Amino acid sequence: MSATEFVLAHTRLAPVPFVPEVRLHLAQDAIDLWEHTETHTGESQPPPFWAFAWAGGQAVARHILDFPDIVRGKAVLDLASGSGLVAVAAALAGARHVIANDIDPYAIAAIELNIRANAVHGTVASNGDDLLTGPASPDVDVLLAGDVFYSREMSGRMLTFLERAAAHGTDVLAGDPGRAYLPHSRLTVIAGYDVPMVGALENADTKRATVLRPSSPD
């Protein structure tokens, strides 16, 4: 079974609760899907972030659809794209070109399925490279990152990359639902949303998620 076949077998196509303009291949049970993924590959795998519409990503997607001038006519990078939710939303909001980046091969399969499901294949392209390891700032106008501060290590790597991009003139937006490793002092909140959740994904029916930008240096 290919990664694409695996995604299709373990998800169903449905509208995103807070961003109904977008349909994604979504799963119901994270633990069950994680176990199936490791059985399928025969080795340890990262959590299946690609199969769920996380609150931080929903907040960023909702924000750019409500304020499309942020991305309209621009080149956009959706970093750690997961399902591709934010990338698809950017395309629907009028972005000229969108790169949906994730290092998980299952995420790439899900992204490509979701690109087709939302008819944005002419605008969004998937990318499986680890962009955080490179020294350069991404060559895009806008960098979007939904829900990337979920661990200490990832938070540090992400913040360095986002701040470097902002310093080079890229417009950077990140989404976060109150993760423990959110670097509050180095980000400025520009919007907040109460995001409805499906099932027990976040152990809450609704999560307060914010959209943030790297703070300007003093």
Side-chain angles (χ1 to χ4, degrees), residues 13 23-25 83 88 110-118 120:
L13 190 62
R23 298 191 304 157
L24 299 177
H25 288 84
S83 66
V88 169
I111 288 166
E112 292 176 351
L113 286 168
N114 292 328
I115 288 171
R116 292 200 290 270
N118 291 277
V120 293

Side-chain angles (χ1 to χ4, degrees), residues 101-192:
N101 167 256
D102 203 292
I103 62 172
D104 186 340
Y106 288 96
I108 295 299
I111 288 166
E112 292 176 351
L113 286 168
N114 292 328
I115 288 171
R116 292 200 290 270
N118 291 277
V120 293
H121 51 275
T123 303
V124 184
S126 63
N127 176 292
D129 297 336
D130 184 357
L131 301 182
L132 300 184
T133 62
S137 174
D139 185 21
V140 293
D141 304 304
V142 182
L143 193 165
L144 306 172
D147 222 331
V148 295
F149 301 113
Y150 52 84
S151 72
R152 187 185 302 277
E153 178 187 3
M154 187 55 66
S155 179
R157 295 183 70 204
M158 283 289 179
L159 183 63
T160 297
F161 191 84
L162 299 183
E163 289 183 330
R164 186 168 64 227
H168 282 79
T170 303
D171 187 13
V172 176
L173 294 179
D176 189 85
R179 302 295 183 207
Y181 298 102
L182 175 67
H184 295 274
S185 64
R186 293 164 66 177
L187 296 165
T188 300
V189 175
I190 62 170

Side-chain angles (χ1 to χ4, degrees), residues 71-106:
V71 298
R72 183 179 289 134
K74 299 176 182 178
V76 177
L77 169 64
D78 177 21
L79 184 64
S81 187
S83 66
L85 166 60
V86 173
V88 169
L92 295 177
R96 173 173 52 82
H97 178 65
V98 185
I99 300 169
N101 167 256
D102 203 292
I103 62 172
D104 186 340
Y106 288 96

Side-chain angles (χ1 to χ4, degrees), residues 26-101:
L26 300 172
Q28 293 296 310
D29 188 315
I31 300 302
D32 182 64
L33 178 58
W34 196 353
E35 291 174 351
H36 280 296
T37 306
E38 295 191 333
T39 299
H40 182 238
T41 61
E43 58 188 23
S44 178
Q45 292 291 316
F49 296 124
W50 50 268
F52 302 93
W54 300 91
Q58 289 196 61
V60 175
R62 180 75 272 151
H63 190 71
I64 58 177
L65 283 166
D66 289 347
F67 301 95
D69 284 348
I70 295 171
V71 298
R72 183 179 289 134
K74 299 176 182 178
V76 177
L77 169 64
D78 177 21
L79 184 64
S81 187
S83 66
L85 166 60
V86 173
V88 169
L92 295 177
R96 173 173 52 82
H97 178 65
V98 185
I99 300 169
N101 167 256

